[in-house]
Amino acid sequence: MSAKGLGINSKLVHGGYHPDATGAVNVPIYQSSTFAFRDAAHGATLFAGKEKGYIYTRIGNPTIAAFEESVASLENGAGGIATSSGLGAVNTLYMALLGQGAHMVSTAAVYGPSRGLMEKHFARFGAEASFVDTSDLENLRRAMRPATRLVYVESPSNPAMQVTDIQGAAAIAHAHGSLLAVDNTFASPYLQRPLDLGADVVLHSITKFINGHADVVGGVLVAKDAGVHARLRDVMVTTGCNMDPHQAYLVIRGLKTLGLRVERAQQSALVIARWLESHPKIQSVRYIGLPSHPQHELAKRQMSGFGSMIGFELTGGLEAGRIVMDRVRLATLAVSLGGVETLIEHPASMTHAAMSKAAREAAGFTDGLVRYSVGIEDVEDLIADLDQALSAIP
Ligand code: LCS
């Protein structure tokens, strides 16, 4: 059925599903690398690549297409492109929209490897980028150049939890003849729909909230416009960073409960953030749902909820961070985020270790920052776990 006009939870359950001849209630896994070209002898319409039909799974596959259609409908875009990983989606975005001599402006606090990909690799082919704090749009305005083709913001950003005004960023990008892409991984389409706010492309690491069960790595891009969608798809297909059908099947399954998971986790996150804020061993808490967050009002305007990612700084700095991470029992010490299980990590030594200390500080986070991805466990248990870990700090 068409998902048009449905509410978001109905879209999550039914989006992208078109019953096949068996009546299967779930999208089957079409585990096939290639598809027969049908001909009149087999009683089908003639198909030799000229009519609609599947050819080869790198180019397209029914299970993957169901996932792409579902996310495109959630994000209100013209079409989706599923990729092997979130970084595969970032690579596709850069390669499709930048070229030799082209310039990009991006969030300084963007996910580390999204920055590394540009600085280490695209720079070798003559593309340039400026990384600025896009939570202040003046910085973005100043960084724009005649050659700027892409503005790429991550909001909320990982791990600094900075929020960028998407509508404002779209106005600046478009006034300079550039496109705006938004990494919407932290919010998920359940809480934020950048294309409705003026962005041209939205990107997710579906490894996080969209899949939600820490068992798949993947990415997706959604374009507002069919022309941009076609440019992105061409790069995905020719660079071969497609998703595979089994991966797509698992993600479709995870996606159905996105609303339930996000609602539950963000409810607990607010309770935990408030508890942390009043704890004597905590110096500061970064949770966009707290009025103390510098972009709390902006987040309220452009998101329908605050999500479940919390950053906190311990008064004891790096050493206290080590103690807490050694002592937590229910929260798992691991990179990644957005799953049903609560994860804790230390960006300076784990996800963002490749950045210099200066770059980390310029990106808005210190060595004492701890990132906490709230899962769907009982909030009382999560607080008891944090409490016993914090009490170990001398
Ligand atoms: N964008 C954001 C905001 C991310 O957090 C990540 C991964 C990516 C893109 C890349 O996606 P991937 O290729 O991993 O699917 N973030 C991670 C993190 O914070 N810890 O481990 C991975």
Side-chain angles (χ1 to χ4, degrees):
M1 68 173 289
S2 162
K4 257 206 161 72
L6 294 178
I8 189 148
N9 284 293
S10 305
K11 279 187 181 182
L12 286 167
V13 176
H14 296 286
Y17 174 66
H18 304 285
D20 69 4
T22 67
V25 170
N26 287 301
V27 180
I29 312 174
Y30 288 91
Q31 196 73 47
S32 187
S33 58
T34 192
F35 295 84
F37 276 47
R38 301 212 202 140
D39 55 42
H42 291 88
T45 50
L46 192 66
F47 168 58
K50 292 201 177 79
E51 292 170 38
K52 268 203 173 314
Y54 292 100
I55 300 170
Y56 187 58
T57 281
R58 174 162 49 73
I59 304 170
N61 171 289
T63 315
I64 300 169
F67 169 63
E68 291 173 333
E69 184 183 328
S70 183
V71 184
S73 135
L74 291 168
E75 291 282 9
N76 296 322
I81 296 151
T83 54
S84 53
S85 69
L87 259 216
V90 178
N91 184 52
T92 301
L93 175 80
Y94 292 172
M95 198 176 277
L97 302 182
L98 300 170
Q100 196 174 29
H103 175 246
M104 173 180 91
V105 186
S106 187
T107 308
V110 75
Y111 176 57
S114 301
R115 181 170 178 158
L117 176 62
M118 173 56 61
E119 291 180 332
K120 279 207 297 227
H121 301 293
F122 277 79
R124 292 189 285 119
F125 302 101
E128 276 190 87
S130 310
F131 291 90
V132 299
D133 174 1
T134 52
S135 67
D136 179 350
L137 288 182
E138 258 326 292
N139 295 328
L140 172 59
R141 214 185 303 277
R142 272 198 296 270
M144 296 299 289
R145 299 184 195 164
T148 309
R149 296 284 168 268
L150 176 63
V151 174
Y152 175 45
V153 305
E154 189 177 291
S155 183
S157 67
N158 178 9
M161 299 303 300
Q162 287 164 337
V163 179
T164 295
D165 176 347
I166 295 171
Q167 236 167 349
I172 295 169
H174 295 157
H176 289 77
S178 162
L179 297 180
L180 173 69
V182 176
D183 184 331
N184 200 24
T185 299
F186 266 42
S188 89
Y190 189 76
L191 298 178
Q192 174 170 274
R193 285 178 291 282
L195 302 184
D196 292 351
L197 297 167
D200 302 284
V201 180
V202 58
L203 180 153
H204 291 273
S205 163
I206 60 89
T207 316
K208 320 298 178 199
F209 291 98
I210 286 191
N211 180 56
H213 293 75
D215 51 9
V216 174
V217 169
V220 72
L221 289 153
V222 178
K224 182 148 72 183
D225 166 274
V228 174
H229 176 260
R231 285 165 70 190
L232 293 165
R233 179 166 282 287
D234 181 57
V235 171
M236 183 282 285
V237 168
T238 48
T239 55
C241 64
N242 57 287
M243 187 172 271
D244 88 26
H246 188 251
Q247 211 181 348
Y249 167 81
L250 286 170
V251 187
I252 291 169
R253 183 160 110 157
L255 187 61
K256 288 178 201 278
T257 56
L258 177 69
L260 296 173
R261 290 185 280 106
V262 168
E263 290 289 359
R264 163 69 177 223
Q266 72 176 357
Q267 208 177 345
S268 300
L270 183 60
V271 175
I272 294 167
R274 286 189 178 135
W275 180 83
L276 285 168
E277 208 168 36
S278 65
H279 198 285
K281 290 187 175 147
I282 303 290
Q283 192 180 326
S284 63
V285 180
R286 301 182 193 198
Y287 179 60
I288 57 175
L290 292 176
S292 58
H293 189 283
Q295 291 104 35
H296 175 66
E297 289 304 320
L298 169 62
K300 242 177 164 167
R301 284 200 302 279
Q302 73 181 15
M303 298 171 70
S304 59
F306 303 113
S308 49
M309 295 302 299
I310 302 174
F312 57 90
E313 247 137 332
L314 297 152
T315 42
L318 192 55
E319 194 40 43
R322 282 211 184 97
I323 293 171
V324 170
M325 279 179 285
D326 280 350
R327 293 294 176 114
V328 282
R329 293 289 169 265
L330 190 56
T332 304
L333 177 60
V335 301
S336 202
L337 57 107
V340 292
E341 57 288 295
T342 296
L343 300 181
I344 192 165
E345 76 116 358
H346 178 229
S349 67
M350 294 165 72
T351 42
H352 294 67
M355 283 168 86
S356 68
K357 186 178 164 75
R360 287 197 294 266
E361 282 171 6
F365 64 100
T366 61
D367 284 355
L369 181 72
V370 174
R371 189 182 78 182
Y372 194 75
S373 170
V374 182
I376 62 168
E377 299 93 337
D378 292 296
V379 68
E380 300 77 15
D381 292 337
L382 292 171
I383 288 180
D385 181 45
L386 279 172
D387 198 29
Q388 61 82 25
L390 289 170
S391 69
I393 303 172

